[in-house]
Amino acid sequence: MANMSLKKNPMPSQDPNVRNKNFDEVALGYTEEMAIDEAKRCLNCKNPKCVNGCPVNVHIPEFISKVAEGKFDEAYGVITSTNSLPAICGRVCPQENQCEGQCIRGIKGESVGIGRLERFVADYHNAHGHQGGAPAVPERNGHKVAVVGSGPAGLTCAGDLARKGYDVTVFEALHQVGGVLVYGIPEFRLPKAIVAKEVARLEHFGVKIMTDTVVGRTITVDELMDDMGFEAVFIGSGAGLPMFMNIPGVNYKGVLSANEFLTRINLMKAYLPDSDTPLIHPKKVAVVGGGNVAMDAARCAKRLGAEVYIVYRRGMEELPARREEVEHAEEEGIIFKTLCNPVEVLADENDDVKGIRCIRMELGEPDASGRRRPIEVPGSEFDVDVDCVIMALGTSPNPLIKSTTEGLEINKKGGIVVNEDGLTSREHVYAGGDAVTGAATVILAMGAGKTAARAIDEALSKK
Amino acid sequence: MYRIVRKEALRPTVTLYEIEAPLVAKKAQPGQFIILRVDENGERIPITINDFDPEKGTVTIIVQTVGATTEKLSHLNEGDCLQDFVGPLGKATETEGKKKVCVVGGGVGCAIAYPVLKKFHDCGAEVHAVIGFKNKDLVILEDQFRAASSVLKVCTDDGSYGQKGLVTDALKELIEAGNQYDEVFAIGPMVMMKFVSKTTEPYGIPTTVSMSPIMIDGTGMCGGCRLSVGGEMKFACVDGPDFDGHKVDWDLAVKRNQMYQEFEKHKYEETCNLFKKEAQ
Ligand SMILES: Cc1cc2nc3c(=O)[nH]c(=O)nc-3n(C[C@H](O)[C@H](O)[C@H](O)COP(=O)(O)OP(=O)(O)OC[C@H]3O[C@@H](n4cnc5c(N)ncnc54)[C@H](O)[C@@H]3O)c2cc1C
Ligand SMILES: Cc1cc2nc3c(=O)[nH]c(=O)nc-3n(C[C@H](O)[C@H](O)[C@H](O)COP(=O)(O)OP(=O)(O)OC[C@H]3O[C@@H](n4cnc5c(N)ncnc54)[C@H](O)[C@@H]3O)c2cc1C
Ligand code: SF4
Ligand code: SF4
Ligand code: FES
């Protein structure tokens, strides 16, 4: 009998006033009982809308019915037949716009907690190991493929190809593997141990990883193919350079990009006392922007002891961040200053930031993106007293690979041009993820990695 | 891991390291830099490539001990390994097509200036050089500079060696003496590069400087290395490190580099105390 409760089983979480002072994971995960109870809310639809909402078409009703039966390991098998990183997706997918956004139960009441169940299944699997030992490693097929970048796009492409027997090497510029999953998304949202587990799984399948290797500098795409014998290259190099506002004062001491702030905290662990990497410990911070990146930066600043404002030019409804992140941020005491936009950063005689001047906005007609365009209210400027400004305004593509790879076609926005198979304008060179689309989502990057892996397999197995 | 195959103290606080990094050695060009991490908890610090040997697969760097990370590094010995060593980063210095140049180096900046000077020399340019140090005890690479330049002026702040005074004075003398430079290339502390640029500006001599802002990734991801050049925002790790010295907003660059000063001072003391304790 289905569970007809209109509400999702709530996620057990650390108390907001405790967690806003530590970096431990906020959401603690369902127990087995909660997972089974939640799974019973699924109607096992004949025509499951939820699956259409998922960019990699996880067989949602199938895995959920396994959960309802308590067969968690089988559920894991169902999920991983289309999604190789469920512990990560269950935590960071914007489910409200994807799978859960389409769930039939969401029409009257709350949708099934698909993401939470996915996370539960993956965590259960990681905690209890694989029944029947580690999966068999396929025989090598003798084809060599290079993957540039170890974010979700690169990891997925590498994993899929390695499972098919390809000899895959991942080249990563940083000293750690995982892309945004390790340098951007904070520990309290995605524990780094989970990413490390996924990477270990890839290594189990024979994927080789070369960190400290910047493609375009240490080695070029052409050298990978001509000198090192890679038959195909997948570029998953991510989104690139952070954007700053073109307003007076953006270079004062105390103005930094969310990427810099988050990298210091996540990749360099600068919040821990034994790290050698410096970090500012501001008293009052304005974070400019309204996406996931802004929420992460704000919540990190809060954990360092600051009073934090989010400054966003549209309204609460329009915040592009995952709903859950906004709710968590509010619970943790982040103050939202929506419908306002910075016009100037103010500093003292030493160039140290002492405030930010904002102007109020109102929403006008919808623009090309379908969102209502914010318009300045003349004469409404006001100053907010802060000693740090963090810009989370998105990124523009990194020119490094484009400028060192001849014949690689780039679109107007700087993204790499690919066809439906992920193939670029260069033969045997594929690309996907943020490097193609600009800043998007983990699951879309994974989807692109998958598509390219399939196309690479088709092209090389014909050889 | 990246092994130190040679370590040589040039001065008490200036050390040369030759490091095994075959891929970097194969690609290195004068003017480029690397980023290293000493250990697992280490900071990523940028250091210019002083020399490289593609056959041997090694890269040489010259590092001045100024803070926690460089102090830690100085305690490593031949045979020890660095956790990370990535590069070559940044754009190579443009040395083609110059007939007569003057290379100005300040302090450890000379270590960076040297490969650039040598490349100008190898490209067939007439090379003059001005190198400056605080005092006699800090002079480095004098012989190498002399071998690759037709005019060399060595300056010390206190007059304990060579000509007394600042590099800008010596540079001005060379210009006033009628030397027509296609380019002046300055590397050293930010303030020195600023004043070299101010010196050449009235004469309209194109001046290139090698900027050293705060960096983390060095690949164009964090935006920490941003500078204002000719009113535009530039990222030193991908757009530089070389920039037109007449266009750099110097005051801003100098101030931004002080952003983490308090932390750095504290960490340096902590690290030194740790090594003292170990020694006891
Ligand atoms: C702070 C933050 C929070 C986010 N939160 C969410 C969220 O909650 N949910 C969600 O779905 N999405 C979120 N996103 C977006 C999501 O993380 C990205 O869309 C996704 O990571 C893109 O994956 P990717 O593999 O294309 O690139 P990335 O994850 O950016 O990885 C690219 C990798 O390539 C490496 N690289 C770059 N250039 C080179 C080179 N020349 N040579 C070698 N290696 C190179 C980089 O160092 C990096 O490791 C967030 C992003 C950020 C920054
Ligand atoms: C592109 C580039 C090339 C460089 N090449 C060399 C080189 O060849 N040899 C060398 O010895 N150093 C070089 N530097 C400087 C070197 O990176 C710093 O000395 C190092 O990061 C200091 O680390 P630390 O932890 O020991 O000291 P910190 O504690 O970080 O700093 C101690 C002191 O040094 C100053 N300082 C910190 N970073 C820099 C910097 N980037 N530039 C100037 N002063 C700084 C601080 O303000 C402080 O007063 C270069 C820097 C850049 C950006
Ligand atoms: S991968 Fe993401 S979108 Fe797909 S079912 Fe899982 S949580 Fe939903
Ligand atoms: S739409 Fe909702 S109820 Fe239907 S199968 Fe999907 S998760 Fe279950
Ligand atoms: S060092 Fe991070 S962008 Fe240049």
Side-chain angles (χ1 to χ4, degrees), chain A residues 42-45 48-50 60-61 64 102-105 112 114:
Chain A
C42 171
L43 303 177
N44 209 341
C45 305
K49 294 269 191 296
C50 53
I60 295 167
I64 293 184
Q102 304 283 322
C103 171
I104 205 93
R105 295 285 318 249
V112 175
I114 302 169

Coordinates of all heavy atoms in Angstrom, one line a residue, chain A residues 42-45 48-50 60-61 64 102-105 112 114, ligand 4:
Chain A
C42 N 6.3 6.6 -3.6 CA 6.3 6.5 -5.1 C 5.2 5.6 -5.6 O 4.9 4.5 -5.1 CB 7.7 6.0 -5.6 SG 7.7 5.6 -7.3
L43 N 4.5 6.1 -6.7 CA 3.3 5.4 -7.2 C 3.7 4.4 -8.3 O 2.9 3.8 -8.9 CB 2.3 6.4 -7.8 CG 1.8 7.5 -6.8 CD1 0.9 8.4 -7.5 CD2 1.1 6.8 -5.6
N44 N 5.0 4.3 -8.6 CA 5.6 3.4 -9.6 C 4.8 3.7 -10.9 O 4.3 2.7 -11.5 CB 5.4 2.0 -9.1 CG 6.5 1.1 -9.7 OD1 7.1 1.4 -10.7 ND2 6.7 -0.1 -9.1
C45 N 4.8 4.9 -11.3 CA 3.9 5.3 -12.5 C 4.3 4.5 -13.8 O 5.5 4.2 -14.0 CB 4.2 6.7 -12.8 SG 3.8 7.8 -11.5
P48 N 6.5 7.2 -16.2 CA 7.1 8.0 -15.1 C 7.7 9.3 -15.6 O 8.7 9.3 -16.3 CB 8.2 7.1 -14.5 CG 8.5 6.1 -15.6 CD 7.3 6.0 -16.5
K49 N 7.0 10.4 -15.3 CA 7.5 11.7 -15.7 C 8.8 12.1 -15.1 O 9.6 12.7 -15.7 CB 6.5 12.8 -15.2 CG 5.1 12.7 -15.8 CD 5.0 13.6 -17.0 CE 3.6 13.7 -17.5 NZ 3.0 12.4 -18.0
C50 N 9.1 11.6 -13.9 CA 10.3 11.9 -13.2 C 11.5 11.5 -14.1 O 12.5 12.3 -14.1 CB 10.4 11.1 -11.9 SG 10.1 9.4 -12.1
I60 N 14.1 5.7 -12.3 CA 13.7 6.1 -10.9 C 12.7 5.1 -10.3 O 12.9 4.6 -9.2 CB 13.2 7.5 -10.9 CG1 14.4 8.4 -11.3 CG2 12.6 7.9 -9.6 CD1 14.0 9.9 -11.7
P61 N 11.5 4.8 -10.9 CA 10.6 3.9 -10.2 C 11.2 2.5 -9.9 O 10.9 2.0 -8.9 CB 9.4 3.8 -11.2 CG 9.7 4.5 -12.4 CD 11.0 5.3 -12.2
I64 N 13.5 2.9 -6.9 CA 12.7 3.2 -5.7 C 11.9 2.0 -5.2 O 11.8 1.7 -4.0 CB 11.8 4.4 -5.9 CG1 12.6 5.7 -6.1 CG2 10.8 4.6 -4.7 CD1 11.9 7.0 -6.2
Q102 N 9.3 17.0 -11.9 CA 8.3 16.4 -12.8 C 7.5 15.3 -12.1 O 6.5 14.8 -12.7 CB 9.0 15.6 -14.0 CG 10.0 16.5 -14.8 CD 9.2 17.4 -15.7 OE1 8.3 16.9 -16.3 NE2 9.7 18.6 -15.9
C103 N 7.8 15.0 -10.9 CA 7.1 13.9 -10.2 C 5.7 14.2 -10.0 O 5.3 15.3 -9.5 CB 7.8 13.6 -8.8 SG 6.9 12.5 -7.8
I104 N 4.8 13.2 -10.3 CA 3.4 13.3 -10.2 C 2.9 13.7 -8.8 O 2.0 14.4 -8.6 CB 2.8 12.0 -10.7 CG1 1.4 12.2 -11.3 CG2 2.8 10.9 -9.7 CD1 1.4 12.5 -12.7
R105 N 3.6 13.2 -7.8 CA 3.2 13.4 -6.4 C 3.4 14.9 -6.1 O 2.8 15.4 -5.1 CB 4.0 12.6 -5.4 CG 3.8 11.1 -5.5 CD 2.5 10.6 -4.9 NE 2.1 11.2 -3.7 CZ 2.1 10.6 -2.5 NH1 2.5 9.3 -2.4 NH2 1.6 11.2 -1.4
V112 N 8.1 13.0 -4.5 CA 8.9 11.9 -3.8 C 10.4 12.4 -3.7 O 10.9 13.1 -4.6 CB 8.9 10.6 -4.7 CG1 9.8 9.6 -4.1 CG2 7.5 10.1 -4.8
I114 N 13.4 11.9 -4.4 CA 14.2 11.1 -5.3 C 15.7 11.2 -5.0 O 16.4 10.3 -4.8 CB 13.9 11.4 -6.8 CG1 12.4 11.1 -7.1 CG2 14.7 10.5 -7.7 CD1 11.9 11.6 -8.4
Ligands
SF4_4 S1 6.8 10.4 -11.1 FE1 7.0 10.3 -8.9 S2 5.6 8.9 -8.2 FE2 5.8 8.6 -10.4 S3 7.4 7.0 -10.6 FE3 8.4 9.0 -10.7 S4 9.0 9.3 -8.5 FE4 7.4 7.7 -8.5

